[in-house]
Amino acid sequence: LILVMTFWSVIAVEVLHPLVGELAARGAWKDCERCPTAFSSVFKANLTFFQTVIAGDSWGLLAVPMIEAHPWAATVFIGAILTLAIGLLN
């Protein structure tokens, strides 16, 4: 579980973090102080995936604005959900 989650975290840091910075500058997450740094490091990305995929908490708060602005970002979130929630936790 940890290795697969770290795999998706590395991808998220490389691919999603620049998008998060762009959306945070536009004020996408005024009510979420953690969202702008959710994918700033592998540790924080692991924590974010644990919170959203494993615990199911605040998924829409973080992912929906990103997917609305950059629909291709859904591939990272869907890949993480499929491999972590359905594949490993089943």
Side-chain angles (χ1 to χ4, degrees), residues 27-75:
W29 295 290
K30 294 177 185 173
D31 298 334
C32 178
E33 61 184 66
R34 188 181 175 283
C35 290
T37 62
F39 297 113
S40 61
S41 70
V42 174
F43 175 76
K44 287 185 177 185
N46 263 322
L47 186 59
T48 300
F49 280 129
F50 183 82
Q51 176 187 5
T52 56
V53 176
I54 309 299
D57 183 34
S58 302
W59 181 253
L61 179 66
L62 179 66
V64 170
M66 290 185 66
I67 294 170
E68 286 177 344
H70 304 283
W72 61 267
T75 58

Side-chain angles (χ1 to χ4, degrees), residues 2-3 5-8 10 12 24 34 40 43 45-46 65 70 74 83 85:
I2 299 296
L3 289 175
M5 197 161 56
T6 301
F7 167 78
W8 285 110
V10 169
R34 188 181 175 283
S40 61
F43 175 76
N46 263 322
H70 304 283
T83 55

